[in-house]
Amino acid sequence: MDKRKALLLGSYTHPKFHPLQGIDSQISHLLIDMFTVQCSENLKMLKESNLYPYDLCIAYSDLWDEKVSPQQTAGLLSYVSGGGGLLVLHNGITLANRYELAQLIGGRFNGHPPMEKLSFTPAAQGHDIMEGVEPFEMEEEPYRFIFDPFTDKTVLLQYEHEGQYWPAAWCHTYGIGRVVFLMPGHSEPSFLQAPFRRMIVQAAKWASRFPG
């Protein structure tokens, strides 16, 4: 069976906090049995004609001080609503600087306390993305979010911080496409953690409707 194609978008030349170097090889290796992963920092890849050949778009772009263009926004919306898969990792949620993409992703970033060791626990038993994922601990940035009230999302993972639980991963459908957000991924060590690696693989399969 031919491998499917995935596009990984990130920041190589001027990342503010999260360079794609190192992360690109981790993700490419993780998904090697299912996908050929093309890595790019060219946001023009978000135009619909450029996204069309891919089964999965993985967002890791560091767009803290900028927004993608209206054409790129429309391209990603059309791609996902038409059946494409979108996997948003950690800082990739900065795509939600555009309100249309905040609705697509299901929420937007709202700051975070300092990085520390966090305890993560599954919040959705029985979901394909969480199969075999046990509670785990890892050093991460405790991202906080503003949620879009219109998106019917399933929270997959939560973390404990300052005596309460916060969402750390979710998924939903958008049109006939699928969207997953995973909060961890600040730096390469996060991608070496077995439970998170399993979630990435299973999220990629779910979002792209990979058979089996």
Side-chain angles (χ1 to χ4, degrees):
M1 183 174 125
D2 288 340
K3 283 188 189 178
R4 296 191 171 197
K5 292 178 68 178
L7 174 66
L8 171 59
L9 285 172
S11 306
Y12 283 115
T13 48
H14 300 293
K16 189 159 186 183
F17 302 110
H18 306 91
L20 190 56
Q21 284 96 339
I23 307 303
D24 51 4
S25 56
Q26 290 292 338
I27 292 175
S28 297
H29 180 71
L30 266 178
L31 302 182
I32 196 167
D33 291 338
M34 300 182 292
F35 295 94
T36 300
V37 180
Q38 179 179 337
C39 306
S40 177
E41 65 174 3
N42 185 358
L43 293 172
K44 291 179 181 176
M45 292 299 293
L46 290 174
K47 292 184 177 178
E48 188 176 11
S49 57
N50 294 333
L51 282 175
Y52 179 74
Y54 296 95
D55 302 284
L56 178 67
C57 178
I58 307 170
Y60 193 76
S61 297
D62 239 12
L63 300 171
W64 300 97
D65 302 318
E66 58 184 304
K67 296 179 180 181
V68 297
S69 72
Q71 292 80 10
Q72 292 157 4
T73 300
L76 187 55
L77 291 171
S78 297
Y79 168 76
V80 179
S81 63
L86 176 63
L87 172 55
V88 181
L89 299 174
H90 195 61
N91 49 287
I93 199 168
T94 53
L95 280 171
N97 287 347
R98 290 201 70 98
Y99 77 88
E100 305 98 322
L101 298 183
Q103 185 179 19
L104 173 66
I105 295 167
R108 64 169 21 137
F109 176 75
N110 192 34
H112 69 80
M115 188 159 168
E116 63 175 86
K117 181 173 276 191
L118 301 174
S119 296
F120 293 90
T121 53
Q125 300 296 337
H127 197 285
D128 290 346
I129 295 174
M130 300 307 296
E131 184 180 343
V133 177
E134 302 290 334
F136 62 97
E137 291 188 340
M138 64 193 294
E139 292 273 338
E140 257 304 336
E141 293 175 320
Y143 271 24
R144 305 281 168 80
F145 309 99
I146 300 170
F147 280 123
D148 161 34
F150 302 111
T151 306
D152 188 15
K153 64 184 71 62
T154 298
V155 175
L156 301 168
L157 187 74
Q158 58 191 6
Y159 70 90
E160 189 177 3
H161 190 260
E162 296 177 346
Q164 65 184 63
Y165 287 95
W166 305 83
W170 62 81
C171 67
H172 56 267
T173 56
Y174 185 88
I176 57 173
R178 289 178 170 182
V179 178
V180 184
F181 173 74
L182 304 180
M183 185 196 86
H186 173 64
S187 57
E188 197 169 351
S190 293
F191 290 85
L192 301 176
Q193 300 278 338
F196 184 47
R197 291 167 72 85
R198 178 182 281 266
M199 286 187 68
I200 292 172
V201 171
Q202 292 173 175
K205 287 179 72 171
W206 185 84
S208 66
R209 289 185 165 86
F210 192 87

